[in-house]
Amino acid sequence: EAEPSGVSTALSALAKAMQWQRAIHLFNQTQLLWTLKPEENHRKAQKGKEEDDSWEIIKDRSLLRALGAGHLWESALFHFQSANPQDAWNLSAAIWACQVAGQSVARELLSEHLRQHQRRRSKRKELRLLEHLSKLSDPDAVQILASIEDFSKENRWLKVAGGEKGQILESIISPGDRVLEVGSYIGFTALRLAQHGCEVVTIEADPLNAAVAQEIVEMASLATMDGTGTRGSQISSRVKICVGRASDW
């Protein structure tokens, strides 16, 4: 019998093992079985909405990652739109599927996710930070970093490596270093490293944080020259924001 919890576990395991063809096959088999046995499916759903919701959530996320692992990004986007596009982790998986296939639509998905939160007037402090930065006049990377630290101290605490932590970080890096960061948050550290000449690959699971980081890096890229003599376009080219879990990459 195909119980939701068992299928969810199997799908997750196959996706993590990058066995995307087997994951898709299992998904299709399960969907067909439950279509042929609607009464049984209804009985299982009555076990509790929590378990049923859990199955739906894990099913969607696992299938999206399975499609992404197979570079079937168009299928991943189609499934994302037909599943629950409001679920942040579905979006994260869909963006990851596009990124691993080298598709620029991933940037558009991030930007649209950010705009949706802004239209809803979300109260997340990361969006308040963007409002704060938008008041700066033609900011460069140095000004943006300083403004983020000021915002963190004066308004809402942000988990950024500023102050003494930032100084320690700068003391152990050199221009040309290649850095992998797990947990981009708003892109503060990635921008700081890039501003000092490092090539940064930064991974962020939360699509809204990734979208804010993308916005901040792009803001810095518009500067003609910053206080260190670095062009903004050079800084943006040094930062690659990857959406998803560390194990995805």
Side-chain angles (χ1 to χ4, degrees), residues 191-236:
L191 180 58
R192 188 165 194 159
L193 292 169
Q195 192 258 330
H196 283 274
C198 297
E199 302 289 332
V200 186
V201 173
T202 180
I203 303 172
E204 175 57 49
D206 185 330
L208 183 58
N209 286 344
V212 170
Q214 176 177 278
E215 189 79 0
I216 288 174
V217 171
E218 289 180 354
M219 192 181 297
S221 74
L222 298 176
T224 304
M225 197 82 73
D226 70 11
T228 65
T230 305
R231 293 184 181 278
S233 57
Q234 290 177 303
I235 291 176
S236 63

Side-chain angles (χ1 to χ4, degrees), residues 8-188:
S8 298
T9 301
L11 272 175
S12 296
L14 289 170
K16 288 178 182 178
M18 307 297 274
Q19 297 292 321
W20 60 273
Q21 288 181 318
R22 294 176 66 183
I24 295 172
H25 179 67
L26 174 61
F27 171 79
N28 289 334
Q29 276 191 324
T30 306
Q31 292 293 91
L32 177 61
L33 176 63
W34 288 359
T35 300
L36 294 175
K37 297 183 178 181
E39 293 182 2
E40 171 118 359
N41 190 21
H42 178 73
R43 177 184 64 77
K44 288 173 181 174
Q46 296 307 307
K47 285 186 172 183
K49 191 174 186 304
E50 183 176 340
E51 180 178 321
D52 189 56
D53 287 346
S54 176
W55 149 248
E56 289 296 328
I57 292 169
I58 296 177
K59 176 201 70 176
D60 290 334
R61 296 174 187 172
S62 297
L63 182 62
L64 283 167
R65 282 191 156 73
L67 291 168
H71 286 211
L72 301 174
W73 66 274
E74 291 175 306
S75 296
L77 279 183
F78 178 80
H79 183 73
F80 166 66
Q81 293 294 342
S82 62
N84 180 7
Q86 300 305 316
D87 182 86
W89 300 109
N90 276 354
L91 176 60
S92 177
I95 293 173
W96 170 78
C98 294
Q99 285 188 325
V100 295
Q103 299 298 318
S104 60
V105 68
R107 296 177 66 85
E108 298 169 20
L109 288 170
L110 279 178
S111 296
E112 178 56 29
H113 186 55
L114 176 60
R115 287 193 292 269
Q116 287 177 1
H117 275 268
Q118 290 172 327
R119 286 194 292 267
R120 291 199 296 265
R121 298 187 180 278
S122 170
K123 295 182 179 180
R124 280 185 58 164
K125 57 188 175 183
E126 295 82 8
L127 297 183
R128 287 185 56 200
L129 170 65
L130 284 184
E131 291 180 13
H132 174 74
L133 295 177
S134 69
K135 297 174 183 176
L136 298 176
S137 178
D138 299 322
D140 57 30
V142 175
Q143 292 171 317
I144 290 171
L145 291 169
S147 187
I148 292 174
E149 287 200 63
D150 290 341
F151 178 88
S152 179
K153 294 174 183 176
E154 298 171 7
N155 296 274
R156 299 284 297 275
W157 178 81
L158 298 171
K159 193 174 182 179
V160 297
E164 293 183 2
K165 290 182 180 178
Q167 293 172 10
I168 293 172
L169 185 63
E170 290 174 5
S171 70
I172 60 174
I173 60 171
S174 301
D177 284 353
R178 300 176 66 185
V179 180
L180 171 64
E181 178 188 32
V182 180
S184 315
Y185 189 37
I186 58 168
F188 179 89

